[in-house]
Amino acid sequence: MTPDIVAAEHLLPGIVAADVPTSRLRMRMLVREAQVDALADAGTRRVLVAVHGNVSSSLFYQRLMLALPDDLLVVAPDLRGYGETEPAPIDASRGLRDHADDLLALLDALELGAVDLMGWSMGGGVVSRVAADHPERVRSLVLQAPVSPYGFGSTTDVSGTLASADAAGSGAGGANPRFVELLAARDTDGQSTDGAPEAASPRATLRAVYVAPRAEPWPDEDMWVASMCTTVVGPDHYPGDATASENWPGFAPGRRGILNSMAPLYCRWDDLVEATPAPPVLWIRGDADRIVSDTSALDLAVLGQIGLIPGYPGADAIPAQPMIAQTRAVLDRYVEAGGRYEEMVLPGIGHSPHLEAETEVLTAILAHLERA
């Protein structure tokens, strides 16, 4: 099919936006301008689908899209609740399956068979969910700083054991209220002091945890922050709803919205080890990642350990979530089951290797696709 090309903001030269009606919802995606005509027979081409992470959109992929070779058809969709895709509500009790099923519906609408999938952060969980549920649709996987196969927060070991039965301390209740307020207002900087963005603002958050901190802003920073501010805010989207808990820190995941969909009560992709056929996996991460880490700056257990959240019951009761170790343990099991993976660790790089080390990531992706 040939989707409708639409006007959009923050696009780089050579990138266009298109709306695609699917069986589930209308999805916005980016494609290279020179490849629009190729969408008409996309099913006959090698296709890479690049899936963004939480509090972001397809805009984050533009530089990488433009750098990829012309013979690779590349599309980058907006997930529901982000960018310009129809903001259908998110049923958190399905984990990341709302997003995974939307992605499958997009592949169907574009008449695509097996594709190469790249997922960043939350998007890594989405594409892994697609591969676990429908491995025949996945030629290869690129997981860039993926959310743990046991979700985010409130697990204690490499097997994903819950710290408490209700997964207290994970989900929507952990969102910074001021960050949520500024996102809702699409306020990139908040109340700045001496030209510096407010600490809880989208811009300050990007500088602190999306990328490894550096002295000068990145040239594309305004575009990235604008992308963050497309996040739909509310109980059905970001951050979701929360429930009270008798366990520390006093709240547990609700059943609506994106942060709850990544809570360990609902988010799992460790069953990827059962995928048949088993697509080859390239796992890319930076060793300075402050979001997906064994000592994540967003893990409430870590914040409790340093005294930022009162009443912390101690590391024996609620240790920091071993996110990297959990992912490696699942991928090692994947190999034992007949799959294969390669781990690429980039020194000094944060949560966004494709932004911070584009050349290295591009080279690794192309080699991975060549081998797949």
Side-chain angles (χ1 to χ4, degrees), residues 124-191:
V126 173
V127 300
S128 295
R129 186 71 264 146
V130 171
D133 287 344
H134 295 277
E136 75 283 356
R137 303 298 297 271
V138 183
R139 185 168 178 172
S140 74
L141 281 176
V142 178
L143 304 181
Q144 179 181 248
V147 64
S148 163
Y150 304 108
F152 198 99
S154 195
T155 57
T156 64
D157 55 28
V158 296
S159 299
T161 303
L162 290 174
S164 60
D166 61 356
S170 65
N176 183 320
R178 179 59 174 162
F179 180 65
V180 175
E181 179 184 10
L182 293 173
L183 273 185
R186 300 200 171 190
D187 186 335
T188 60
D189 295 286
Q191 297 178 355

Side-chain angles (χ1 to χ4, degrees), residues 175-241:
N176 183 320
R178 179 59 174 162
F179 180 65
V180 175
E181 179 184 10
L182 293 173
L183 273 185
R186 300 200 171 190
D187 186 335
T188 60
D189 295 286
Q191 297 178 355
S192 301
T193 302
D194 297 329
E198 182 181 343
S201 69
R203 189 180 304 276
T205 300
L206 181 140
R207 291 178 178 178
V209 296
Y210 278 48
V211 293
R214 66 182 224 169
E216 296 297 325
W218 291 84
D220 288 336
E221 181 180 275
D222 286 345
M223 176 179 70
W224 298 342
V225 175
S227 171
M228 295 170 69
C229 289
T230 66
T231 302
V232 180
V233 173
D236 284 319
H237 295 99
Y238 186 90
D241 63 340

Side-chain angles (χ1 to χ4, degrees), residues 81-97:
Y82 306 95
E84 301 302 327
T85 282
E86 181 183 340
I90 296 167
D91 179 355
S93 69
R94 302 189 71 231
L96 292 173
R97 276 197 170 93

